[in-house]
Amino acid sequence: PSHDTMGLFGLDTLSQKTEEKLEELLWDAIQESEELCTDPEANEALQSMWQQICEGNGLEHGSVQVHLVEDSEINAFALPGGHILIHSALVQHLESPEELAGVLGHEVAHVQLNHISKKLAKEVGISLLLSAAGGGSAAGEAIKEIIGYLSSSAYDRSLEKEADLKSIEYLKNSGIHPKALLGVMEKLESESQTDLPS
């Protein structure tokens, strides 16, 4: 199949146009449902760390956008189309800028390795994705379901391992010690009671 029909999900059932529409609708819904942090100091610190990771790894700064969200849940997740959402509660829970870099490195690894689309195509299913992108009364519920899924469910352990290895590479290239990632994972494990990957 051509690039137009292969698209984001690696399947020939979603066209490029449909994918772009879905990405746009997901981001619109996030902006309506979430309160983006407007604190200039907090945003500047986040963007500065993101800039360091981009420069260290030859990533185009605007290709993935990082946003700070006012939310009391300790969490971070990525949307298809390259939006990374970091909850304010997670930032408050971290002990250093390097740990924030660990979060960013891990989430951008999921984006760059195309994990979000793999996860959605496999576990949400093409019919729900088409329903979400199609507009109309069913789209709103489908969009909510997809966002809920992205923000709350884990990736396959194999994808997590791949993202961890990639994020270690990102951190090292940015002059940040990869132990920062371990610190973040230990904090998240204590919050969620999940087992830390070996």
Side-chain angles (χ1 to χ4, degrees):
S2 72
H3 177 71
D4 280 351
T5 56
M6 279 295 284
L8 183 67
F9 300 100
L11 300 166
D12 58 6
T13 36
L14 285 184
S15 69
Q16 183 105 11
K17 191 176 175 185
T18 303
E19 286 154 17
E20 287 168 2
K21 184 67 180 167
L22 179 61
E23 290 165 5
E24 184 187 324
L25 288 170
L26 286 168
W27 175 235
D28 286 349
I30 284 283
Q31 290 179 94
E32 283 176 24
S33 65
E34 302 289 339
E35 187 186 344
L36 296 178
C37 176
T38 55
D39 182 286
E41 200 173 317
N43 276 302
E44 192 178 328
L46 177 64
Q47 296 304 330
S48 171
M49 181 54 73
W50 177 229
Q51 181 78 36
Q52 187 176 338
I53 291 170
C54 288
E55 286 175 0
N57 291 279
L59 300 171
E60 196 179 324
H61 189 256
S63 62
V64 177
Q65 293 178 55
V66 178
H67 312 276
L68 190 57
V69 176
E70 294 285 0
D71 199 300
S72 59
E73 185 189 359
I74 292 173
N75 198 16
F77 64 99
L79 297 175
H83 290 281
I84 293 173
L85 302 159
I86 312 283
H87 285 189
S88 55
L90 174 58
V91 175
Q92 287 156 12
H93 203 62
L94 301 176
E95 289 174 20
S96 67
E98 288 74 24
E99 287 191 350
L100 177 58
V103 173
L104 290 171
H106 187 83
E107 292 304 324
V108 79
H110 281 312
V111 172
Q112 298 288 37
L113 295 167
N114 207 29
H115 287 176
I116 306 150
S117 48
K118 284 178 187 171
K119 173 177 173 167
L120 287 177
K122 181 184 171 188
E123 297 177 36
V124 173
I126 292 298
S127 61
L128 186 71
L129 299 176
L130 287 171
S131 175
S137 56
E141 278 308 308
I143 288 282
K144 263 190 222 165
E145 198 174 327
I146 292 166
I147 290 171
Y149 188 80
L150 287 172
S151 66
S152 64
S153 78
Y155 290 84
D156 290 346
R157 184 54 67 85
S158 63
L159 296 184
E160 285 292 2
K161 184 178 178 183
E162 202 182 335
D164 288 337
L165 292 172
K166 189 72 176 167
S167 57
I168 287 167
E169 188 185 311
Y170 285 149
L171 293 174
K172 286 167 76 175
N173 290 344
S174 307
I176 298 162
H177 198 292
K179 72 179 179 187
L181 182 61
L182 183 61
V184 172
M185 291 172 78
E186 285 171 341
K187 286 183 177 64
L188 293 176
E189 184 192 22
S190 68
E191 285 298 316
S192 64
Q193 306 304 310
T194 56
D195 291 333
L196 200 64
S198 57

